[in-house]
Amino acid sequence: MTGRTGRTSPPLLRRLRGLRPGPRASNVGRAVFGAALLALALAPAGTATAADDGQWSVSPVANTVGQRPSFYLAAAPGRSVADAVTLTNRTDRPRTFRLYVADAYNTARDGGFAVRGPEEPRRATAAWAKLDRERVTVAAHGSVAVGFTLTVPDRAEPGDHPGAVVALEERPAAARPDAGRGIGVQQAVAARLYLRVTGPTAPALTVRGVTVRRRGSGADISYTLTNIGNVTLRPRAGLTATGVLGRSLLARELGGLPAELLPGQEVRLSARWEGAPRAEWAEVTVRARADGTTAQGRADLADHPSFTAVAALVAVIWSALGAASGRMARMSDRSPESTAPHRAGFACFVGRPNAGKSTLTNALVGTKVAITSNRPQTTRHTVRGIVHRPDAQLVLVDTPGLHKPRTLLGERLNDVVRTTWAEVDVIGFCLPADQKLGPGDKFIAKELAGIKKTPKIAIITKTDLVESKQLAEQLLAVHQLGAELGFEWAEIVPVSAVGDTQVQLLADLIAPLLPESPPLYPEGDLTDEPEMVMVAELIREAALEGVRDELPHSIAVVVEEMIPRENRPADRPLLDIHANVYIERPSQKGIIIGPKGSRLKEVGMKSRKHIEALLGTPVFLDLHVKVAKDWQRDPKQLRKLGF
């Protein structure tokens, strides 16, 4: 807001980047001190007063209810909406204004609501608006109402398109005869305009670029908050820090966030952690939330402490362990204190083939429990991975990709999927961010719509492969898919298992949806898959690399036996594994074996490394290739191969 002496507060000017004075202001500036300033007053979000600099104001025309703080308009694509703005002159002389509609944005520095200048390109609301008059003279102590029409294009994107109706005085203050000499200040006053194009809305935000840097007696934490959805968000954020052994070091709400984060906008924010420990590693997490959507980002705080600091840290840990032991001993003599109930249950990941289900399962469990491949339909049976948390135990069920079956095997795999999601507590529907929704996705979503009581989470996978604009479009499409089928997603979560982005957030969202229960599996168990099945899958994973398009579906692996080698020294054990690789036609045998057995040897070498890591012992792997003619279509052969 501008003062009456011709001075402008620095914070306000910082919000006016790109808001340039017109030709008149430039001429006056050269005539005075070679500069002219442009200042803007905006109605604060949610206030009950119009934008007013004390001399004149801009406000929506009052309706039957009363004075409106801002314009709140809605229109469907291809439709128009009309309204009017009132300019009120509170001074003793006439004032002339240039009136225009501007697009709004968030300033990068502090996230403040700002508007584009009159000469800047007009893209959304500003481009769609037409004023009845663009030059208005208002008599002393008078008011003038000016109408305008907003015509939304047919192909306009649904969601919020914020802007403002701006009244820019035609002459800077220093140019008026009674103003005296000084810097010319061309004032602009604006009323906010919130236009919503009707259609599906998808609130979504991200936290990225978290950094932690030592400074003085504490640490400075910076992060970037981005609205990747299509609606205006009112964000909140919290800051936590966890030290070694899970010790809580910090937990508090963050201030300084913008009151509104507009669609497509981002802002770089900072916070101070006073008293951050100097001799301890810590994981710092910034978690933001707004309108039902959450996001988080992490960074480490690590030092290279002196010997004295290390000794102090050891003392702290030892003391904490001693205190914990004392608490446990005391608790054994009395009833346990009331705590939040432990939860445990099953959550299955479904989706079409190659949607990233297995990779996501492995990322959540923290180790490889399901094989992965860029070939579709890699998973052929349910794979259970177990996530142990203090508050919950998540049993993740990775299922085969649901698809249009062409063989009896395909029909049985689809039956496995449908049987699984009918028995679990939560369903996670995986949809790749880099692929538009197709008939397969819609087919699965339609089937999920028939499951009424089970919570359904839409998981947008592979977000590391796309830009934020494409991700926002996918989020919107997924939200609309649920709305079209008459159900609401419990959550819509974008993740990247490869980039470890929001993977733990997904676990945080699944856990509260599970039933109250003690753990279902012993601590330390990461899967309930039999070792022979996992070994067979690791061999098949290696065999899938580099084969032709049709061959992956024809490969099956069966481990016949796993026997410790006799007469081996105790410190040099060896496990003999005999396995058969089955294909459907004799012509495929040469592809698997390769010239002089080179291909089969490579499969054995690659899979053996993973098998030894899984079993924790050296392995001798004996592979043979056999033909089971058309086994995917033969019920007898399918039973023999375990399907």
Side-chain angles (χ1 to χ4, degrees), residues 180-463:
R181 296 180 63 81
I183 296 177
V185 179
Q186 189 176 23
Q187 299 182 84
V189 178
R192 301 186 186 212
L193 191 159
Y194 296 90
L195 171 67
R196 172 158 293 187
V197 176
T198 57
T201 57
L205 74 165
T206 63
V207 176
R208 58 181 180 82
V210 180
T211 61
V212 186
R213 291 187 174 89
R214 290 273 182 203
R215 187 171 67 86
S217 60
D220 291 332
I221 299 164
S222 300
Y223 62 99
T224 298
L225 191 63
T226 308
N227 183 347
I228 61 173
N230 67 342
V231 293
T232 300
L233 300 177
R234 291 164 179 80
R236 304 286 298 275
L239 177 65
T240 59
T242 304
V244 293
L245 303 179
R247 192 164 65 94
S248 177
L249 302 175
L250 177 69
R252 65 178 172 88
E253 288 292 301
L254 288 172
L257 277 73
E260 298 174 323
L261 189 59
L262 308 180
Q265 297 292 302
E266 72 176 29
V267 59
R268 187 72 178 170
L269 302 170
S270 60
R272 177 70 177 167
W273 180 10
E274 199 63 55
R278 300 204 61 83
E280 182 169 356
W281 170 90
E283 182 182 64
V284 176
T285 301
V286 176
R287 182 170 183 175
R289 58 195 184 279
D291 299 337
T293 182
T294 58
Q296 66 183 18
R298 291 188 175 95
D300 290 340
L301 173 67
D303 280 330
H304 299 286
S306 64
F307 176 80
T308 304
V310 172
L313 175 58
V314 171
V316 169
I317 296 173
W318 186 262
S319 175
L321 289 173
S325 300
R327 284 194 299 271
M328 292 179 67
R330 290 192 298 271
M331 288 174 65
S332 65
D333 295 329
R334 70 176 192 267
S335 59
E337 299 176 0
S338 60
T339 58
H342 186 276
R343 297 180 179 274
F346 294 83
C348 76
F349 292 149
V350 301
R352 54 187 167 87
N354 208 24
K357 301 181 293 297
S358 298
T359 305
L360 182 57
T361 299
N362 292 337
L364 281 162
V365 175
T367 191
K368 190 183 191 71
V369 295
I371 68 168
T372 59
S373 170
N374 58 2
R375 301 291 182 178
Q377 298 176 33
T378 300
T379 304
R380 286 182 175 163
H381 64 287
T382 57
V383 178
R384 281 177 286 275
I386 304 164
V387 180
H388 300 274
R389 296 162 51 104
D391 61 330
Q393 187 181 79
L394 285 60
V395 184
L396 306 175
V397 186
D398 179 25
T399 62
L402 196 66
H403 62 288
K404 185 177 181 180
R406 298 179 181 178
T407 64
L408 181 59
L409 173 64
E411 293 176 6
R412 292 191 177 180
L413 295 183
N414 282 352
D415 290 341
V416 167
V417 177
R418 293 187 177 94
T419 301
T420 301
W421 70 29
E423 297 175 347
V424 296
D425 303 296
V426 180
I427 298 173
F429 183 18
C430 295
L431 303 112
D434 62 333
Q435 301 173 31
K436 291 187 176 181
L437 300 188
D441 298 312
K442 296 175 182 178
F443 172 75
I444 298 171
K446 188 175 181 180
E447 293 212 10
L448 292 179
I451 305 172
K452 301 298 183 183
K453 295 183 179 181
T454 307
K456 293 168 278 290
I457 296 178
I459 306 169
I460 314 303
T461 60
K462 306 183 182 182
T463 59

Side-chain angles (χ1 to χ4, degrees), residues 70-141:
S70 301
F71 291 99
Y72 295 96
L73 306 175
R79 297 298 183 90
S80 298
V81 59
D83 211 316
V85 62
T86 298
L87 280 72
T88 300
N89 180 7
R90 307 186 191 283
T91 66
D92 296 329
R93 62 186 63 84
R95 291 280 184 103
T96 300
F97 305 100
R98 176 183 177 183
L99 200 62
Y100 71 98
V101 178
D103 296 313
Y105 67 99
N106 287 106
T107 59
R109 181 185 179 94
D110 61 1
F113 187 104
V115 298
R116 303 293 178 188
E119 311 304 330
E120 292 190 78
R122 303 181 184 185
R123 296 183 175 86
T125 301
W128 305 339
K130 183 177 181 181
L131 290 155
D132 292 350
R133 286 191 285 169
E134 295 184 353
R135 187 175 181 274
V136 182
T137 299
V138 185
H141 301 291

Side-chain angles (χ1 to χ4, degrees), residues 592-602:
I592 292 293
I593 296 175
K596 298 182 180 180
S598 59
R599 180 79 174 73
L600 188 62
K601 182 179 179 181
E602 184 180 356

